[in-house]
Amino acid sequence: MRGYFAVGSEGLSKTMNLGTLMRTAHAFGASYFFSVDADPRLGKAMKADTSKSPDHLPYFAWSSPEEMIFPRGCKLIGVELTDDAVELPSFGHPLQAAYILGPERGSLSPQMQERCDFMVKIPTKFCVNIGIAAGIVLYDRFKVHGKYAERSLTAGAPKDPMLEHVHGAPLFRTGRKVPGTS
């Protein structure tokens, strides 16, 4: 998959939800995981995180939205059911992204929503568990940025296999010649 992404949460208080969220981020290949204003009692061992993601993903813990620091070019995407949020199936995922999900019984804080470059919503009738929400968002990202055969318009597998990528020669916009090439 192209680009990189991170997954985070604001105001989490349940150990199992944090573990599930970290495991989901790890399973989809997140570059790192972060939390903002998480309950300090969460500890470092999560029963739901059977992949032991802290051994594989850097973890950043910030106290407030103002403390968050992201790499240059990284866009912060809030996942929240707000009236002005873009519906996920219509959203164009940036190559460099950090996804932030709200707490179990609440929403992203106004300060966090203000920090977000984009707000997206999963078109459901009501909120779903944070781990499930992350799985849906990251699956959608994979669908957009991954290399997969086109989905069949009828039931079943794709009719045409994905074409193999053909590498071409480098293209230079300035007309520059690279030593050792013709």
Side-chain angles (χ1 to χ4, degrees), residues 11-55:
L12 263 182
S13 61
K14 296 180 181 174
T15 303
M16 293 299 279
N17 282 346
L18 179 62
T20 302
L21 187 59
M22 291 181 79
R23 182 174 185 221
T24 300
H26 183 207
F28 277 100
S31 299
Y32 60 95
F33 185 84
F34 64 97
S35 66
V36 179
D37 191 28
D39 188 319
R41 296 173 296 166
L42 289 178
K44 58 184 176 177
M46 278 61 86
K47 292 178 185 175
D49 183 12
T50 56
S51 72
K52 300 184 183 350
S53 60
D55 293 343

Coordinates of all heavy atoms in Angstrom, one line a residue, residues 11-55:
G11 N -9.5 10.4 24.5 CA -10.4 10.2 25.7 C -10.7 8.7 26.0 O -11.8 8.5 26.6
L12 N -10.0 7.8 25.5 CA -10.3 6.4 25.8 C -10.2 6.0 27.3 O -9.3 6.5 27.9 CB -9.4 5.4 25.0 CG -9.9 4.9 23.7 CD1 -8.9 4.0 23.1 CD2 -11.2 4.2 23.8
S13 N -11.1 5.2 27.7 CA -11.1 4.8 29.1 C -11.2 3.3 29.4 O -11.0 2.8 30.5 CB -12.2 5.5 29.9 OG -13.4 5.1 29.4
K14 N -11.4 2.5 28.3 CA -11.6 1.1 28.4 C -10.5 0.3 27.9 O -10.1 0.5 26.7 CB -12.9 0.7 27.8 CG -14.1 1.3 28.4 CD -15.4 0.8 27.7 CE -16.6 1.5 28.4 NZ -17.8 1.2 27.6
T15 N -9.8 -0.5 28.7 CA -8.7 -1.3 28.3 C -8.9 -2.1 27.1 O -8.1 -2.2 26.1 CB -8.2 -2.2 29.5 OG1 -8.0 -1.3 30.6 CG2 -6.9 -2.9 29.1
M16 N -10.1 -2.8 27.1 CA -10.3 -3.7 25.9 C -10.5 -3.0 24.6 O -10.0 -3.4 23.6 CB -11.6 -4.6 26.2 CG -11.4 -5.6 27.3 SD -10.2 -6.8 27.0 CE -11.1 -7.9 26.0
N17 N -11.1 -1.8 24.7 CA -11.2 -1.0 23.4 C -9.9 -0.5 23.0 O -9.6 -0.5 21.8 CB -12.2 0.2 23.7 CG -13.6 -0.3 23.6 OD1 -14.0 -1.4 23.2 ND2 -14.5 0.6 24.1
L18 N -9.0 -0.1 23.9 CA -7.7 0.3 23.5 C -6.9 -0.8 22.8 O -6.3 -0.7 21.8 CB -6.9 0.9 24.6 CG -5.5 1.4 24.3 CD1 -5.4 2.5 23.3 CD2 -4.7 1.8 25.6
G19 N -7.0 -2.0 23.5 CA -6.3 -3.2 22.9 C -6.8 -3.5 21.6 O -6.0 -3.9 20.6
T20 N -8.1 -3.5 21.4 CA -8.7 -3.8 20.1 C -8.3 -2.8 19.0 O -8.0 -3.2 17.9 CB -10.3 -3.9 20.2 OG1 -10.6 -4.9 21.2 CG2 -10.9 -4.3 18.9
L21 N -8.3 -1.6 19.4 CA -7.9 -0.5 18.4 C -6.4 -0.7 18.0 O -6.1 -0.5 16.9 CB -8.2 0.9 19.1 CG -8.0 2.1 18.2 CD1 -8.9 2.0 17.0 CD2 -8.2 3.4 19.0
M22 N -5.6 -0.9 19.0 CA -4.1 -1.1 18.7 C -3.9 -2.3 17.8 O -3.1 -2.3 16.9 CB -3.3 -1.2 20.0 CG -3.3 0.1 20.7 SD -2.3 0.0 22.2 CE -0.6 0.2 21.5
R23 N -4.6 -3.4 18.1 CA -4.5 -4.6 17.3 C -5.0 -4.4 15.9 O -4.4 -4.8 14.9 CB -5.3 -5.8 17.9 CG -5.2 -7.1 17.2 CD -5.9 -8.2 17.9 NE -5.7 -9.4 17.3 CZ -6.6 -10.3 17.1 NH1 -7.8 -10.2 17.5 NH2 -6.3 -11.4 16.4
T24 N -6.1 -3.7 15.7 CA -6.6 -3.3 14.4 C -5.6 -2.5 13.6 O -5.3 -2.8 12.4 CB -8.0 -2.6 14.5 OG1 -8.9 -3.5 15.2 CG2 -8.5 -2.2 13.1
A25 N -5.0 -1.5 14.3 CA -4.0 -0.6 13.6 C -2.8 -1.5 13.2 O -2.4 -1.3 12.0 CB -3.6 0.5 14.6
H26 N -2.4 -2.4 14.0 CA -1.3 -3.2 13.7 C -1.6 -4.2 12.5 O -0.8 -4.3 11.6 CB -0.9 -4.0 15.0 CG 0.3 -4.9 14.8 ND1 0.5 -6.0 15.5 CD2 1.4 -4.9 14.0 CE1 1.6 -6.6 15.2 NE2 2.2 -5.9 14.2
A27 N -2.8 -4.7 12.6 CA -3.2 -5.7 11.5 C -3.2 -5.0 10.1 O -2.9 -5.7 9.1 CB -4.6 -6.3 11.8
F28 N -3.6 -3.8 10.1 CA -3.7 -3.1 8.8 C -2.4 -2.4 8.4 O -2.3 -1.8 7.4 CB -4.9 -2.1 8.8 CG -6.2 -2.7 8.5 CD1 -7.1 -3.0 9.5 CD2 -6.6 -3.0 7.2 CE1 -8.3 -3.5 9.2 CE2 -7.8 -3.5 6.9 CZ -8.7 -3.8 7.9
G29 N -1.4 -2.5 9.2 CA -0.1 -2.0 8.9 C 0.2 -0.5 9.2 O 0.9 0.2 8.5
A30 N -0.4 0.0 10.3 CA -0.2 1.3 10.7 C 1.3 1.6 11.0 O 2.0 0.7 11.4 CB -1.0 1.7 12.0
S31 N 1.8 2.8 10.8 CA 3.1 3.1 11.1 C 3.4 3.4 12.5 O 4.4 3.2 13.1 CB 3.5 4.4 10.3 OG 3.4 4.1 8.9
Y32 N 2.4 3.9 13.2 CA 2.4 4.2 14.7 C 1.0 4.3 15.2 O 0.0 4.4 14.5 CB 3.3 5.4 15.0 CG 2.9 6.7 14.5 CD1 2.1 7.6 15.2 CD2 3.3 7.1 13.2 CE1 1.8 8.8 14.7 CE2 2.9 8.3 12.7 CZ 2.2 9.2 13.5 OH 1.8 10.4 13.0
F33 N 0.9 4.3 16.5 CA -0.3 4.5 17.2 C -0.2 5.6 18.2 O 0.9 5.9 18.7 CB -0.7 3.2 18.0 CG -2.0 3.2 18.6 CD1 -3.2 2.9 17.9 CD2 -2.2 3.6 20.0 CE1 -4.4 3.0 18.5 CE2 -3.4 3.6 20.6 CZ -4.5 3.3 19.8
F34 N -1.3 6.3 18.5 CA -1.2 7.4 19.5 C -2.5 7.5 20.2 O -3.6 7.1 19.8 CB -0.9 8.8 18.8 CG -1.9 9.3 17.8 CD1 -2.8 10.2 18.2 CD2 -1.9 8.8 16.5 CE1 -3.8 10.7 17.3 CE2 -2.9 9.3 15.6 CZ -3.8 10.2 16.0
S35 N -2.4 8.2 21.4 CA -3.6 8.5 22.2 C -3.5 9.9 22.7 O -2.4 10.5 22.9 CB -3.8 7.5 23.4 OG -2.7 7.7 24.3
V36 N -4.7 10.5 22.9 CA -4.8 11.8 23.5 C -5.7 11.8 24.7 O -6.8 11.3 24.5 CB -5.3 12.8 22.4 CG1 -5.4 14.3 23.0 CG2 -4.4 12.8 21.2
D37 N -5.3 12.3 25.8 CA -6.1 12.3 27.0 C -6.7 11.0 27.4 O -7.9 10.8 27.7 CB -7.2 13.4 26.8 CG -7.9 13.7 28.1 OD1 -7.3 13.5 29.2 OD2 -9.1 14.0 28.0
A38 N -5.9 9.9 27.3 CA -6.3 8.6 27.6 C -6.3 8.4 29.1 O -5.5 9.0 29.8 CB -5.5 7.5 27.0
D39 N -7.2 7.6 29.6 CA -7.2 7.3 31.1 C -5.9 6.7 31.5 O -5.5 5.7 30.9 CB -8.4 6.3 31.4 CG -8.6 6.1 32.8 OD1 -7.6 6.0 33.6 OD2 -9.8 6.1 33.2
P40 N -5.2 7.2 32.5 CA -3.9 6.7 32.9 C -3.9 5.3 33.4 O -2.9 4.7 33.5 CB -3.4 7.7 33.9 CG -4.6 8.5 34.3 CD -5.6 8.4 33.2
R41 N -5.1 4.8 33.8 CA -5.2 3.5 34.4 C -5.2 2.4 33.3 O -5.3 1.2 33.6 CB -6.5 3.4 35.2 CG -6.5 4.3 36.4 CD -7.8 4.3 37.1 NE -8.8 4.8 36.2 CZ -10.1 4.7 36.4 NH1 -10.6 4.1 37.4 NH2 -10.9 5.3 35.5
L42 N -5.1 2.8 32.0 CA -5.2 1.8 31.0 C -4.0 0.8 31.0 O -4.2 -0.4 30.6 CB -5.2 2.4 29.6 CG -6.5 3.2 29.3 CD1 -6.4 3.8 27.9 CD2 -7.7 2.2 29.3
G43 N -2.9 1.2 31.5 CA -1.8 0.3 31.7 C -1.2 0.0 30.3 O -1.6 0.5 29.3
K44 N -0.2 -0.9 30.3 CA 0.5 -1.2 29.1 C 0.1 -2.6 28.5 O 0.4 -2.9 27.4 CB 2.0 -1.1 29.2 CG 2.6 -2.0 30.3 CD 4.1 -1.7 30.4 CE 4.6 -2.6 31.6 NZ 6.0 -2.5 31.8
A45 N -0.5 -3.4 29.3 CA -0.9 -4.8 28.8 C -2.4 -4.8 28.5 O -3.2 -4.5 29.4 CB -0.6 -5.8 29.9
M46 N -2.8 -5.0 27.2 CA -4.2 -5.1 26.8 C -4.5 -6.5 26.5 O -4.0 -7.1 25.6 CB -4.4 -4.2 25.6 CG -4.6 -2.7 25.9 SD -3.2 -1.9 26.7 CE -2.2 -1.5 25.4
K47 N -5.5 -7.0 27.2 CA -6.0 -8.4 26.9 C -6.5 -8.6 25.5 O -6.3 -9.6 24.9 CB -7.1 -8.8 27.9 CG -6.7 -8.9 29.3 CD -7.8 -9.3 30.2 CE -7.4 -9.3 31.6 NZ -8.5 -9.5 32.6
A48 N -7.1 -7.6 24.9 CA -7.6 -7.7 23.5 C -6.5 -7.6 22.5 O -6.8 -7.9 21.3 CB -8.7 -6.6 23.3
D49 N -5.3 -7.1 22.8 CA -4.3 -7.0 21.8 C -3.4 -8.2 21.8 O -2.3 -8.2 22.3 CB -3.5 -5.7 22.2 CG -2.4 -5.5 21.1 OD1 -2.4 -6.1 20.1 OD2 -1.5 -4.6 21.4
T50 N -3.9 -9.3 21.2 CA -3.1 -10.5 21.2 C -1.9 -10.4 20.2 O -1.1 -11.3 20.2 CB -4.0 -11.7 20.8 OG1 -4.7 -11.4 19.5 CG2 -5.1 -11.9 21.8
S51 N -1.9 -9.4 19.4 CA -0.7 -9.3 18.5 C 0.4 -8.6 19.1 O 1.5 -8.5 18.5 CB -1.1 -8.5 17.2 OG -1.3 -7.1 17.5
K52 N 0.3 -8.1 20.4 CA 1.3 -7.4 21.1 C 1.9 -6.3 20.3 O 3.0 -6.1 20.1 CB 2.4 -8.4 21.5 CG 1.9 -9.5 22.4 CD 3.1 -10.4 22.9 CE 2.7 -11.6 23.7 NZ 1.4 -11.8 24.2
S53 N 0.9 -5.4 19.8 CA 1.3 -4.3 19.0 C 2.3 -3.3 19.5 O 3.1 -2.8 18.8 CB 0.1 -3.6 18.5 OG -0.7 -3.0 19.6
P54 N 2.4 -3.1 20.9 CA 3.4 -2.2 21.4 C 4.9 -2.7 21.1 O 5.8 -1.9 21.1 CB 3.2 -2.2 22.9 CG 1.7 -2.5 23.0 CD 1.4 -3.5 21.9
D55 N 5.0 -4.0 20.8 CA 6.3 -4.5 20.4 C 6.6 -4.2 18.9 O 7.8 -4.4 18.5 CB 6.4 -6.0 20.6 CG 6.3 -6.5 22.0 OD1 6.5 -5.6 22.9 OD2 6.0 -7.6 22.3

